[in-house]
Amino acid sequence: MGPDGGPPVVWDVVVVGAGPAGASAASAAAVAGRRVLLLEKAELPRYKTCGGGIIGPSRDALPPGFELPLQDRVKAVTFSHNGRFSRTRRSRRMLFGLINRPEFDAQLVEHAQKAGAELRTGATVTRVEQHGQSVPDRRTVAVVLADGETVLARAVVGADGSASRIGAHVGVKLGQVDLGLEAEIPVPPSVAEDWKGRVLIDWGPLPGSYGWVFPKGDTLTVGVISARGEGAATKRYLEDFVARLGLAGFEPAISSGHLTRCRTDDSPLSRGRVLVCGDAAGLLEPWTREGISFALRSGRLAGEWAVRVAEAGDAVDARRQALNYAFAIKAGLGVEMAVGRRMLALFERRPGLLHATITGLRPAWNAFADITRGSATLGGLVRGNGLARRAIDLLDRRMDTESGVGPAGRGVTARKDEETGQEGQEGPAEDAAPAASVKPGERGAADGTQVPETS
C-alpha cells in the first residue's frame, strides 16, 4: 500500500548502493526527470578502502557542475621496484588529483539529490524479485529490505559493491580477485610537506602486487594490493613497505582491507529489468585495480539505460534496452579491461622490465602521464603503438587469454601446443635487469635527486 492507503508507490528507478557508481546512476536517471530512489545500507559519510586517486577518465565522467574536493594535486611520481631502483618523474601539469572517499562519495550523493533523487540510508537490501507474489506485474521489480519492507520499481540498478547481492541475482561471474590493505597515517607537517604533490608507486615482491603512498594534507594513504590467497605475504609486504618509508613510528588512524573482483568477459550485466554497474558488475581496471573511473562511467550508463528499461512496455523491449547497456559497457570499459588483463600478465612476469621502461624511457613516461590525465587510454595506446602491440601479441602466444579471467595462475588455462596437444609448462620468470639509466641504489626525489621535467 502507498503512504496514504492507496496503491503502492512504484519508483521508475531504484538504485542500490550510494558509492560513486550508484550516485552516478541516480544522478543520470534523475536528470532525465524520473522518480529515483537511492538506497544505502550505511549512514553517510562512511569510510571505504581506496587510494582515492582521481585520474582523467574519472574527472571527465563526473556530473556537470561537480566540484572535486581535492586534497592534493599530483605532479610527480616516484617509482620503485620492491624498494629499490627508486626514481622520480615530474610533470609541469597536474597528472591526477587525490580525494578522501567519505567526502567525495557524500558530495556525489548530494549532487544526485539536487538532481531529484531521493536518498534512504540504513536500508539493507536482502534480495530482488522479478516474479512471485511480491511483484504485481511483469513491468515491476520488487526490492526486499532487511526489515521486511518491499520497494517496487520499473528498473533496478545494482551498485552495491564487490560482494553485491544484486550481482548475485544477475549472475555476475568473477575471475580475478585481489586483496588490498591500506592504512591512513597522520604525519607531522615536515613529513607531509616532503610528500606534497608527489605519490609513490612501488612494484611489489609478489606477482602482480604493488604499493602506493598518496598524500592528503596531514595524512598519508599507504596501501598494497596482491592476489587473494596471499594474505599473510600481503600483510608482510605492507608492514615492510611502511617500515621502509620510515613511517612505522606513526600510528594509523584507520587500517582496513578490501577485496577487488574483476568480471569475466562472458559475465552478464543484466537480468530482466535489473542492471549492475561498478564493483557490483566486476568492472575495474585489472592491472592497476583502479575502480573509481569505471564506477563513474558505468554508473552513468546504467542510470541512462535504466530509464529506457523503466519505459519498456514488455519483457522484449526491456531485454533490448538491457542488451544495449551491455553493448555500451563492453564497447568502452570492456575493451580497456581486455588490455588491462594483458598488461597485468606482462607485469606479473616482468615487473623489472616494466619498471625500467617507465623510468628509463621518455615515451613510456609520457604515455603514463597521458593516461592519468585522460588524454589517452591504455587500450588506445596499445592499438596505436606498433611496438607495444607486438609485445602484447608475443605475450598472447605464450598465454591463453580467451576466457578473459586474467593472467596465468589467476584463472586462465595454459594454451595447448598446436602440434602435440599438450599443455605448455612455463618455468618461473626472471625479472629483467633495470635499464642502464636506473642504477642500483639510485634514490628518488625524497633524497634530493633531480629528474628532468616532462610535459
Side-chain angles (χ1 to χ4, degrees), residues 21 160-164 172 174 258 261 277-284 291 295 298:
D160 49 336
S162 61
S164 170
V172 172
L174 303 166
H258 178 67
R261 299 175 170 92
C277 60
D279 285 347
L283 291 167
L284 70 158
S298 65

Side-chain angles (χ1 to χ4, degrees), residues 67-88:
E67 294 291 333
L68 275 168
L70 292 180
Q71 300 298 311
D72 205 344
R73 292 169 168 80
V74 176
K75 292 186 176 182
V77 182
T78 299
F79 297 96
S80 62
H81 184 196
N82 198 20
R84 301 182 300 158
F85 314 120
S86 178
R87 190 174 187 184
T88 297

Side-chain angles (χ1 to χ4, degrees), residues 106-449:
Q107 195 167 313
L108 280 172
V109 169
E110 290 174 7
H111 201 91
Q113 290 177 285
K114 290 177 181 178
E118 182 174 322
L119 171 69
R120 284 180 58 182
T121 58
T124 299
V125 174
T126 58
R127 66 185 187 277
V128 292
E129 298 178 0
Q130 301 194 64
H131 307 281
Q133 294 183 347
S134 299
V135 184
D137 57 62
R138 293 186 178 182
R139 290 190 59 212
T140 306
V141 180
V143 180
V144 182
L145 307 184
D147 62 4
E149 180 185 356
T150 297
V151 178
L152 301 179
R154 297 299 183 199
V156 171
V157 175
D160 49 336
S162 61
S164 170
R165 291 181 183 272
I166 311 303
H169 171 80
V170 167
V172 172
K173 293 187 286 184
L174 303 166
Q176 176 188 326
V177 184
D178 296 275
L179 169 65
L181 301 177
E182 194 169 76
E184 303 285 350
I185 305 177
V187 293
S190 59
V191 176
E193 183 63 27
D194 181 56
W195 285 97
K196 186 176 181 180
R198 178 174 66 93
V199 302
L200 169 65
I201 297 176
D202 177 70
W203 314 118
L206 303 169
S209 69
Y210 73 95
W212 62 88
V213 179
F214 285 179
K216 299 171 185 175
D218 59 358
T219 298
L220 299 179
T221 298
V222 183
V224 301
I225 194 165
S226 185
R228 183 180 64 172
E230 299 287 347
T234 305
K235 184 178 180 181
R236 282 196 303 273
Y237 176 28
L238 177 60
E239 292 170 348
D240 294 344
F241 187 44
V242 170
R244 195 165 61 227
L245 293 167
L247 301 173
F250 303 110
E251 186 69 23
I254 301 174
S255 295
S256 61
H258 178 67
L259 290 176
T260 65
R261 299 175 170 92
C262 286
R263 68 187 296 272
T264 62
D265 271 348
D266 62 345
S267 179
L269 290 162
S270 67
R271 177 180 175 185
R273 292 178 175 267
V274 179
L275 312 178
V276 286
C277 60
D279 285 347
L283 291 167
L284 70 158
E285 203 287 301
W287 174 30
T288 63
R289 284 76 119 189
E290 189 276 326
I292 294 179
S293 73
F294 278 62
L296 292 169
R297 289 183 282 174
S298 65
R300 184 178 63 187
L301 288 170
E304 293 170 352
W305 287 105
V307 169
R308 296 172 172 85
V309 171
E311 295 171 344
D314 55 41
V316 173
D317 191 18
R319 175 64 175 164
R320 181 184 304 114
Q321 303 305 333
L323 287 174
N324 286 336
Y325 165 67
F327 178 80
I329 291 292
K330 293 176 181 179
L333 299 181
V335 171
E336 294 181 35
M337 289 186 72
V339 176
R341 289 188 188 100
R342 299 161 80 183
M343 287 299 299
L344 176 60
L346 176 61
F347 174 49
E348 286 195 324
R349 288 170 175 263
R350 296 288 190 269
L353 175 62
L354 175 69
H355 178 71
T357 300
I358 203 168
T359 58
L361 298 179
R362 180 67 61 85
W365 161 250
N366 288 341
F368 175 90
D370 287 343
I371 292 170
T372 58
R373 291 195 191 104
S375 57
T377 65
L378 181 61
L381 286 172
V382 169
R383 289 194 302 271
N385 185 294
L387 180 61
R389 187 171 60 251
R390 286 194 296 272
I392 294 294
D393 289 342
L394 178 62
L395 178 68
D396 276 351
R397 295 192 191 103
R398 302 180 63 186
M399 296 176 58
D400 181 5
T401 59
E402 291 180 357
S403 66
V405 181
R410 305 279 294 280
V412 171
T413 57
R415 184 186 297 276
K416 289 186 177 181
D417 184 277
E418 294 181 359
E419 295 182 2
T420 66
Q422 298 298 311
E423 292 186 354
Q425 298 295 320
E426 294 281 348
E430 297 179 0
D431 292 346
S437 60
V438 186
K439 301 178 178 63
E442 181 174 320
R443 305 300 297 171
D447 297 315
T449 299

